[in-house]
């Protein structure tokens, strides 16, 4: 049975973790996977998470099943975080939410719901998009098409080309958008562009499907939900996949959510039952611990403020590193203009250098990034900035 299955290459993003670990160069730099790192190059557990875990350890009374939709308190806390507690879609009971194993679980379960609703739907994803979007969504059997998004020459969004391409989208198709901190480009939609896409969705009848995995890493926890909140208010239907991996730093706990907005309360209830059935048929129910931590933090004013402080510090550190990298590249005579790095937001930017230059950085300098030249900015620190910027300028 298994003899026809060939060995597959390592995952383009996760494979970098192993390659980096096995590199013996003392100067090696990891700009690969999108995990936050502090000035010491570590990804510590947030203090707010530790405090919440301590409370849960003391207070948890049972380990009984939580059911396919996950914990009610988590769902309520997450819908408030995503939409804001007084959002009209919540008032109209048009919203349903379920807890999932991470943002990946959310994307896949949401795609399975799409397949049930419209097996002929095409999901349009940005070119480029996060490396796991196409496997995660395409493995459902739904068709995937791309729309132009990032212009690597001018280092900005190709919005006219994007909207031109989306003229081809059919009623019932899904348009995958990144809620904030576009992965991999760091180039985000403006408020005006969100409005234009909302109007297009209303006119053409396609459904936006927003992946928001970095809420709080762009402009702020509320600001980053702008597109989500606008579309949830102005559109009859919307799908959202959310992740708590980065903003709570609980990557391995696998915490995410699917939030869907339906035309009315009756359809929201029907979709809630469909989502539960999908989950039951794949993994039965999500793990509890990480979501319990998130719910506890969001429900407790002191812990919430503590967490927001830690999240803001992570965002500001990355923002400052962008400026420092630009200054160093300029000081070392980079020649080309890298100022776009400071206009982009979130964990990532492209360096917009060639795959051959990326390979040289890896082979000659032990600097790791994905082959499309995406860097995870938080991997930079005061100890490696000089070496990194010299190496980049060296391969230009
Ligand atoms: C990334 O893009 O590096 C992260 O989202 C981690 C992952 O799972 O790929």
């Amino acid at each position: 049975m298994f003899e026809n299955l060939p060995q597959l290459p390592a995952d383009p993003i996760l494979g970098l973790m192993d390659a980096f670990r096995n590199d013996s160069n003392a100067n090696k730099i990891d700009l690969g996977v999108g995990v936050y790192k502090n000035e010491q190059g570590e990804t510590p557990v947030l203090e707010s998470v530790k405090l919440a875990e301590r409370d849960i350890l003391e207070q948890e009374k049972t380990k009984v099943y939580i059911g396919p939709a996950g914990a009610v308190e988590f769902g309520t806390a997450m819908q408030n975080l995503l939409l804001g507690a007084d959002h009209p879609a919540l008032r109209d009971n048009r919203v349903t939410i379920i807890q999932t194993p991470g943002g990946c679980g959310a994307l896949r379960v949401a795609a399975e719901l799409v397949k049930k609703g419209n097996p002929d739907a095409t999901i349009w994803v940005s070119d480029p998009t996060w490396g796991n979007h196409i496997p995660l969504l395409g493995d459902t059997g739904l068709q995937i098409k791309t729309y132009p998004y990032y212009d690597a020459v001018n280092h900005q969004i190709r919005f006219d080309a994007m909207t031109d391409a989306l003229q081809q989208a059919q009623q019932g198709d899904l348009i995958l958008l990144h809620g904030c901190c576009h992965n991999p480009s760091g180039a985000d939609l403006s408020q005006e562009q969100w409005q234009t896409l909302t109007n297009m969705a209303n006119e053409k009848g396609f459904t936006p499907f927003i992946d928001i995995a970095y809420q709080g890493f762009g402009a702020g926890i509320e600001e980053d939900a702008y597109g989500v909140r606008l579309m949830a208010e102005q559109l009859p239907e919307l799908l959202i996949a959310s992740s708590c991996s980065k903003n709570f730093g609980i990557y391995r706990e696998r915490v995410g959510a699917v939030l869907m907005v339906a035309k009315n309360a009756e359809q929201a209830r029907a979709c809630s039952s469909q989502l539960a059935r999908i989950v039951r048929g794949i993994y039965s129910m999500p793990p509890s611990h990480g979501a319990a931590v998130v719910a506890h933090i969001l429900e407790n004013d002191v812990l919430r403020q503590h967490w927001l402080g830690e999240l803001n510090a992570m965002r500001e550190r990355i923002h400052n590193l962008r400026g420092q990298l630009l200054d160093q590249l300029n000081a070392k005579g980079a020649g080309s203009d890298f100022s776009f790095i400071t206009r982009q937001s979130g964990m990532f930017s492209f360096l917009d250098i060639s795959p051959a230059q990326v390979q040289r950085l890896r082979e000659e300098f032990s600097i790791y990034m994905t082959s499309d030249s995406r860097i995870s900015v938080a991997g930079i620190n005061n100890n490696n900035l000089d070496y990194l910027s010299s190496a980049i300028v060296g391969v230009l």
Side-chain angles (χ1 to χ4, degrees):
M1 181 184 344
F2 305 122
E3 66 198 16
N4 295 326
L5 297 177
Q7 166 98 31
L8 294 174
D11 180 270
I13 298 176
L14 300 183
L16 290 172
M17 290 169 84
D18 288 333
F20 179 79
R21 210 176 290 125
N22 296 332
D23 189 327
S24 56
N25 184 344
N27 292 323
K28 64 184 178 179
I29 305 178
D30 180 12
L31 306 178
V33 185
V35 294
Y36 178 79
K37 292 197 176 85
N38 63 16
E39 185 55 30
Q40 288 72 43
E42 293 156 354
T43 308
V45 182
L46 298 186
E47 281 172 18
S48 51
V49 168
K50 278 277 184 208
L51 291 168
E53 287 185 312
R54 197 190 58 192
D55 289 351
I56 289 168
L57 185 66
E58 283 168 8
Q59 293 162 14
E60 192 175 50
K61 291 197 178 63
T62 180
K63 293 285 186 190
V64 81
Y65 294 124
I66 54 171
V72 175
E73 314 82 69
F74 173 79
T76 306
M78 284 301 288
Q79 69 187 21
N80 293 345
L81 190 71
L82 286 160
L83 297 178
D86 57 353
H87 195 282
L90 289 174
R91 277 205 303 274
D92 296 343
N93 296 315
R94 294 200 295 127
V95 175
T96 191
I97 188 162
I98 65 160
Q99 173 188 329
T100 57
C104 287
L107 285 159
R108 183 54 177 262
V109 168
E112 297 288 349
L113 182 73
V114 170
K115 191 152 182 232
K116 283 193 184 289
N118 178 12
D120 298 325
T122 293
I123 303 186
W124 294 74
V125 302
S126 61
D127 176 21
T129 195
W130 174 50
N132 205 23
H133 272 148
I134 294 178
L136 261 177
L137 305 173
D139 282 2
T140 57
L142 289 166
Q143 209 195 337
I144 307 285
K145 286 188 180 160
T146 59
Y147 58 83
Y149 187 78
Y150 182 71
D151 173 351
V153 174
N154 296 306
H155 319 290
Q156 60 191 17
I157 296 179
R158 305 171 62 194
F159 194 65
D160 288 345
M162 173 178 177
T163 50
D164 279 356
L166 293 181
Q167 293 298 340
Q168 311 304 315
Q170 304 293 310
Q171 177 152 17
D173 281 356
L174 280 288
I175 312 298
L176 189 82
L177 301 166
H178 299 219
C180 62
C181 310
H182 185 268
N183 180 3
S185 72
D188 281 340
L189 296 165
S190 67
Q191 295 192 355
E192 199 187 349
Q193 288 167 337
W194 277 108
Q195 185 63 64
T196 302
L197 292 171
T198 306
N199 297 346
M200 275 185 80
N202 263 325
E203 282 154 23
K204 296 196 61 69
F206 59 66
T207 304
F209 179 0
I210 304 179
D211 181 5
I212 179 157
Y214 296 88
Q215 188 180 355
F217 278 90
I221 196 79
E222 305 294 331
E223 294 86 338
D224 290 351
Y226 179 84
V228 162
R229 293 175 185 182
L230 178 82
M231 287 189 154
E233 185 172 353
Q234 297 189 3
L235 293 177
E237 294 184 341
L238 180 67
L239 261 179
I240 299 164
S242 161
S243 169
C244 300
S245 295
K246 337 280 170 171
N247 51 11
F248 287 84
I250 47 173
Y251 310 88
R252 64 174 62 173
E253 300 294 353
R254 312 311 297 138
V255 188
V258 175
L259 184 149
M260 62 95 50
V261 181
K263 276 195 185 105
N264 54 43
E266 191 190 347
Q267 286 183 16
R269 274 195 302 276
C271 286
S272 170
S273 71
Q274 293 282 342
L275 286 166
R277 173 67 187 80
I278 290 166
V279 166
R280 183 73 170 139
I282 309 178
Y283 52 82
S284 190
M285 58 195 79
S288 165
H289 178 73
V293 168
V294 168
H296 188 62
I297 291 173
L298 292 176
E299 282 169 348
N300 178 303
D301 283 345
V302 176
L303 283 180
R304 187 187 175 100
Q305 288 314 317
H306 195 140
W307 164 67
L308 281 174
E310 292 182 289
L311 177 58
N312 292 343
M314 291 194 280
R315 180 181 66 249
E316 275 159 29
R317 189 178 117 72
I318 295 176
H319 178 78
N320 292 338
L321 286 169
R322 290 173 173 277
Q324 289 171 31
L325 177 61
L326 175 63
D327 290 347
Q328 283 296 313
L329 290 172
N330 288 340
K332 293 189 186 329
S336 38
D337 179 11
F338 281 96
S339 60
F340 60 91
I341 292 174
T342 59
R343 292 191 295 276
Q344 296 170 346
S345 60
M347 284 228 184
F348 308 110
S349 270
F350 285 130
L351 287 180
D352 287 332
I353 58 175
S354 68
Q357 288 167 319
V358 171
Q359 197 177 344
R360 279 191 64 197
L361 284 172
R362 177 164 165 177
E363 285 171 1
E364 294 172 30
F365 301 94
S366 297
I367 295 172
Y368 288 77
M369 64 190 70
T370 50
S371 58
D372 53 8
S373 85
R374 184 194 81 164
I375 57 167
S376 180
V377 179
I380 304 173
N381 57 50
N382 281 325
N383 288 328
N384 66 25
L385 180 60
D386 183 54
Y387 176 77
L388 171 67
S389 40
S390 298
I392 294 172
V393 172
V395 301
L396 288 179

